[in-house]
Amino acid sequence: MVQQNGNSEHPPDPDYFQTNPKPHNLDRQITLARSFIEQHARANRRVALVTSGGTTVPLENQTVRFIDNFSAGTRGATSAEYFLEAGYAVIFLHRQFSLLPYSRHYSHSTNCFLDFMTYNDVGAVVVESEYQQEMAQVLSRYRKAKEENTLLLLPFTTVNEYLWLLRGLAMQMRPLSANGLFYLAAAVSDFFVPAERMVEHKIQSSEDFQEDLTNRNGAKAPAAHMEGKRLVIDLDPVPKFLKLLVDGWAPQSMIVSFKLETDPSLLAKKARYALEKYSHHLVIGNMLNTRKWEVLFVSADGGERWIRVPAARRSKSITNGNLDDVHLQGPAIEIESWIVPEVAKEHTMMIEKTKSKH
């Protein structure tokens, strides 16, 4: 078990939060989260903060152009459903317009909800009979989460919004103690444009309308600017906040992070490095091309172990533009249905160890 920081004084936040603006709707979102967390803390229910989707890096304050991260939010949205099935309340911190729990089954471009609808004899819109049972099951789970208020959806778009929200939510989750869980499945940008180097207006591509950067009295050029016909982008690294989750923001919660790689020889090594550097409880490694059916668990207590869905139980998916055509032997298995119960087991062990210490 990773040792938790028992000091009452937490390390100070980096200068990031003094030099980059607070999102305009942050207070409202934190208020919603506080009420949600208090409800489930009173019920002694575990709460999972699931992050999902990619983050954008705006190049202008009045944003026209931005850099984006590859992620549709599949892992996060799917995992959130299985956390709810496991008895957790879920704060779903997601990229705006990315996949959401439950609606993900019918909102993807390859599974449009309109394809499931038809008209009955009197012209009313109904679900096709062959899909009614499946859709009824999804609807039942969705309505249960709504009625019990166990799912809170909080959106973000930019990496700045994500970082402010992550910090604010982590601090709200402190009263949960070991009942809090962070499942950091979002694809967070590694680089950003600092506020003081952000241009206000749309960057002009035409040389006739470009800003004159020759007389700036020693000031740095904007991080994104034109030099003739070339767009120059000079990004700063996003400060590493993952260690602060353990040491400062949420010192008693379980922290699960993800490591995505394309080189198989680096996956285990970099997952282990992340585990040790950031003192998280579990790092889940996955390869870009096989992430839908196999992941590597790396933990301080359990070492390294693979979770793999057998080839004959893998759902069809689009990978590198190709539709995998596997003859299924039984219902397709979403790997998140295996990942989340294993995470919950490790969370239970952590809670029990925490109780034994006190």
Side-chain angles (χ1 to χ4, degrees):
M1 176 60 61
V2 178
Q3 291 291 323
Q4 300 290 347
N5 187 347
N7 297 331
S8 59
E9 295 185 4
H10 302 300
D13 290 338
D15 291 337
Y16 181 93
F17 297 105
Q18 282 72 52
T19 57
N20 290 278
K22 182 175 77 170
H24 68 90
N25 62 343
L26 178 69
D27 292 340
R28 175 181 175 276
Q29 291 179 297
I30 295 301
T31 298
L32 290 173
R34 182 184 303 118
S35 175
F36 183 85
I37 291 165
E38 288 174 352
Q39 172 193 336
H40 298 295
R42 289 193 298 268
N44 197 32
R45 179 180 282 119
R46 300 181 192 181
V47 177
L49 173 61
V50 177
T51 69
S52 184
T55 59
T56 67
V57 179
L59 300 182
E60 306 120 339
N61 271 325
Q62 298 189 43
T63 306
V64 174
R65 299 179 176 89
F66 57 87
I67 300 171
D68 205 352
N69 269 28
F70 157 75
S71 177
T74 306
R75 176 84 80 208
T78 308
S79 298
E81 290 184 24
Y82 289 111
F83 274 115
L84 288 162
E85 287 188 25
Y88 285 75
V90 173
I91 301 173
F92 190 63
L93 182 59
H94 65 283
R95 165 72 175 273
Q96 189 176 31
F97 306 128
S98 65
L99 293 178
L100 297 176
Y102 305 115
S103 67
R104 72 180 176 93
H105 296 273
Y106 306 105
S107 61
H108 195 275
S109 59
T110 59
N111 207 22
C112 177
F113 76 95
L114 293 173
D115 293 332
F116 295 79
M117 314 298 280
T118 189
Y119 298 101
N120 65 11
D121 294 339
V122 296
V125 177
V126 296
V127 178
E128 290 271 16
S129 58
E130 62 183 297
Y131 304 121
Q132 285 184 1
Q133 183 176 359
E134 177 187 345
M135 189 171 282
Q137 291 173 350
V138 174
L139 178 61
S140 175
R141 293 194 294 269
Y142 170 74
R143 289 179 66 88
K144 182 174 185 289
K146 291 280 287 185
E147 290 166 2
E148 298 179 356
N149 192 35
T150 52
L151 176 61
L152 176 64
L153 305 178
L154 297 177
F156 65 83
T157 301
T158 70
V159 65
N160 183 60
E161 291 169 347
Y162 173 85
L163 293 173
W164 276 94
L165 275 165
L166 181 64
R167 184 183 75 151
L169 293 172
M171 292 178 177
Q172 295 303 316
M173 288 178 66
R174 283 180 185 171
L176 294 166
S177 188
N179 274 352
L181 169 70
F182 289 77
Y183 186 85
L184 304 175
V188 183
S189 304
D190 291 316
F191 303 95
F192 80 113
V193 176
E196 69 271 14
R197 298 189 61 205
M198 183 93 71
V199 296
E200 179 64 24
H201 298 290
K202 174 188 172 184
I203 300 167
Q204 298 297 324
S205 57
S206 171
E207 293 184 57
D208 295 331
F209 294 93
Q210 288 174 19
E211 178 186 358
D212 184 3
L213 300 176
T214 58
N215 298 310
R216 295 184 56 83
N217 298 322
K220 287 185 177 180
H225 61 273
M226 296 297 297
E227 292 184 1
K229 296 181 179 180
R230 297 172 60 246
L231 174 61
V232 177
I233 303 175
D234 180 19
L235 302 177
D236 283 15
V238 171
K240 297 298 185 182
F241 296 110
L242 295 179
K243 189 70 165 63
L244 272 173
L245 275 174
V246 175
D247 290 343
W249 296 349
Q252 293 181 316
S253 295
M254 180 176 182
I255 313 295
V256 180
S257 58
F258 284 78
K259 176 61 66 174
L260 178 71
E261 292 296 333
T262 59
D263 184 348
S265 67
L266 291 177
L267 183 63
K269 184 185 301 182
K270 292 193 72 173
R272 173 62 62 180
Y273 174 80
L275 182 82
E276 295 172 354
K277 181 175 182 178
Y278 303 120
S279 300
H280 290 178
H281 302 89
L282 173 66
V283 176
I284 301 177
N286 46 179
M287 298 299 301
L288 177 63
N289 292 333
T290 62
R291 67 191 186 283
K292 301 290 186 181
W293 61 81
E294 65 176 8
V295 296
L296 175 66
F297 272 38
V298 179
S299 65
D301 284 349
E304 299 176 9
R305 59 191 176 98
W306 283 93
I307 294 178
R308 290 187 173 98
V309 175
R313 300 294 299 277
R314 297 171 186 171
S315 61
K316 292 183 179 181
S317 63
I318 297 176
T319 305
N320 294 333
N322 298 316
L323 184 63
D324 301 328
D325 190 9
V326 178
H327 179 66
L328 295 179
Q329 298 177 5
I333 294 174
E334 293 178 315
I335 193 169
E336 291 81 9
S337 70
W338 288 3
I339 293 173
V340 170
E342 291 300 315
V343 170
K345 286 179 185 177
E346 298 215 11
H347 193 197
T348 296
M349 289 190 291
M350 174 187 164
I351 292 171
E352 290 174 350
K353 286 185 178 181
T354 300
K355 289 178 178 179
S356 68
K357 290 179 181 179
H358 297 285

